[in-house]
Amino acid sequence: MDEIIDRGRRYVLRGGVAMAAVGLTGGRAAADWAPSLRYPDPAIAILEPAFAPYRIFNSSVERLATGFDWMEGPVWFGDGRYLLVSDIPNDRMIRWDEVTGTASEFRRPSGWSNGNIRDLEGRLVTCEGGMRRVTRTEHDGSVTVLADTYEGKRLNSPNDLAVDGEGAIWFTDPPFQISNFYEGEKAEPEIDFHGVYRISPEGTLELVLDDLKGPNGIVFSPDRQVIYIVEGRAAPDRLVWAYDVGADGTLANKRRHVVATEHGALDGMACDVDGNLWCGWGSTGAPEADPEVLDGVRIFDPSGRAIGHIHLPERCANLCFGGRHGNRLFMAASHSLYAVYVNTQGANLP
């Protein structure tokens, strides 16, 4: 598919409220929330003393933009001072500009894009979950398909990505976006497992794992010697697994790193320079779950212990670090984009 970038239909979102005639299609403007005027922000909860140094006393959670349907896959472009994020049901990518504080359509259609990342050369790599493929946007704007089949069968719906130190692209492939017509095109899976794959720097697609139910978020430790993968359909509790990564890309020493108890649900993750995992968090949808308590970002130290929580009025699907110093946490929630400055920096930023 040739690249399509639509900047003609532009809308402005200031102070978290969508302005008149913004041109949203199917969007919901979540205008009933306001940032706290108190310092420290009560939305940033310290669960263990170890989290206290990461909270900046006078930094508040901000809502940068709203009026979307399901935000996912934020990725920071520091060289352009903008953030790209997927609005999956509306089949588009949104660009939020740090200089002007405005949001606009970057690409539509986007293949019902989900996760996004930059490779070691700074190029955009995207999980086009609805198109069932992984693509790379070249520096000249053209689009290259990196993977769309495995052993002659179409992938399920690529979800999230990570890049290792050699430049290989790792991605998860659950069937989430082919299960309905809301986030893609409904279809029967051609592959009878939910895979985790690695695209080598030479372009070879390799199956890494086939034993997880609904693999979702994926991220490397700061030294890229450990990889963390969310098992999004694990029962009774959803999990983050940790694996040691070999020089040849093989995985070993599988171990449970995080168990999402009390009906918590994990999605995307980001890792900071100290090895803490910042996890998109919400509820499983169970009737007894309390979304108001769960929705937001849950932070885990390198041992897998929960140390902090950032409460949001919406479920957070995915997040990334960005900003000039890599210390601004961008959070893609259900209908909105949020941010907060924290006292750490993202690991392995481009």
Side-chain angles (χ1 to χ4, degrees):
M1 182 183 74
D2 291 336
E3 182 194 31
I4 299 176
I5 299 178
D6 181 1
R7 296 189 180 92
R9 301 179 66 237
R10 185 176 181 85
Y11 54 91
V12 180
L13 300 157
R14 296 186 185 277
V17 180
M19 302 179 70
V22 295
L24 290 172
T25 57
R28 299 175 179 88
D32 58 348
W33 178 90
S36 174
L37 298 181
R38 300 183 186 278
Y39 289 146
D41 189 337
I44 306 171
I46 297 173
L47 304 182
E48 295 288 344
F51 183 66
Y54 297 107
R55 184 189 69 176
I56 297 176
F57 175 82
N58 56 350
S59 172
S60 296
V61 176
E62 307 168 76
R63 176 182 277 164
L64 304 178
T66 190
F68 310 102
D69 282 329
W70 181 242
M71 297 289 269
E72 257 280 12
V75 59
W76 176 250
F77 282 75
D79 40 354
R81 297 185 66 183
Y82 64 87
L83 185 86
L84 295 182
V85 60
S86 299
D87 182 14
I88 300 177
N90 291 309
D91 193 13
R92 63 184 179 179
M93 294 177 68
I94 300 298
R95 169 179 165 148
W96 178 80
D97 188 279
E98 183 184 43
V99 177
T100 63
T102 61
S104 60
E105 282 190 353
F106 171 76
R107 177 179 296 173
R108 184 205 286 249
S110 67
W112 292 277
S113 63
N114 195 323
N116 297 285
I117 202 167
R118 299 181 76 181
D119 67 11
L120 297 188
E121 295 183 33
R123 296 169 295 188
L124 172 67
V125 182
T126 299
C127 284
E128 295 186 9
M131 293 294 287
R132 304 169 71 170
R133 65 187 193 178
V134 178
T135 63
R136 182 179 65 216
T137 301
E138 309 295 347
H139 292 303
D140 64 3
S142 61
V143 172
T144 300
V145 176
L146 299 181
D148 57 3
T149 60
Y150 177 70
E151 294 186 342
K153 298 179 180 180
R154 294 188 70 186
L155 296 173
N156 292 318
S157 58
N159 186 282
D160 203 7
L161 316 103
V163 180
D164 67 23
E166 302 302 317
I169 307 295
W170 299 60
F171 69 94
T172 56
D173 187 43
F176 301 159
Q177 288 181 247
I178 58 172
S179 65
N180 57 69
F181 289 113
Y182 186 60
E183 295 183 291
E185 297 290 342
K186 188 174 182 179
E188 289 296 320
E190 297 181 18
I191 298 174
D192 59 4
F193 55 82
H194 305 168
V196 178
Y197 298 89
R198 178 180 182 269
I199 305 171
S200 72
E202 295 75 32
T204 302
L205 181 66
E206 307 161 352
L207 177 65
V208 179
L209 294 172
D210 62 1
D211 63 344
L212 299 183
K213 297 178 181 178
N216 197 331
I218 182 170
V219 70
F220 282 99
S221 63
D223 61 7
R224 291 190 168 103
Q225 298 301 302
V226 176
I227 195 167
Y228 301 100
I229 303 173
V230 170
E231 186 171 13
R233 292 297 180 265
D237 299 311
R238 298 184 181 182
L239 304 169
V240 176
W241 294 99
Y243 303 80
D244 296 330
V245 183
D248 58 354
T250 57
L251 302 183
N253 192 22
K254 178 182 180 181
R255 55 207 183 268
R256 290 188 182 187
H257 188 69
V258 171
V259 180
T261 57
E262 300 178 344
H263 310 291
L266 293 136
D267 203 324
M269 303 178 290
C271 189
D272 69 22
V273 291
D274 293 328
N276 302 301
L277 288 184
W278 301 65
C279 301
W281 204 260
S283 82
T284 61
E288 57 271 36
D290 188 346
E292 290 189 12
V293 172
L294 295 169
D295 285 351
V297 175
R298 185 70 56 90
I299 301 95
F300 296 86
D301 70 10
S303 73
R305 177 183 58 156
I307 60 173
H309 192 96
I310 301 172
H311 292 277
L312 298 175
E314 312 171 56
R315 175 175 176 155
C316 180
N318 212 331
L319 60 166
C320 74
F321 286 96
R324 180 181 178 187
H325 298 291
N327 66 329
R328 195 175 192 185
L329 184 70
F330 292 98
M331 298 166 280
S334 303
H335 306 299
S336 308
L337 176 65
Y338 297 86
V340 64
Y341 287 97
V342 294
N343 196 26
T344 187
Q345 295 169 301
N348 303 319
L349 295 180

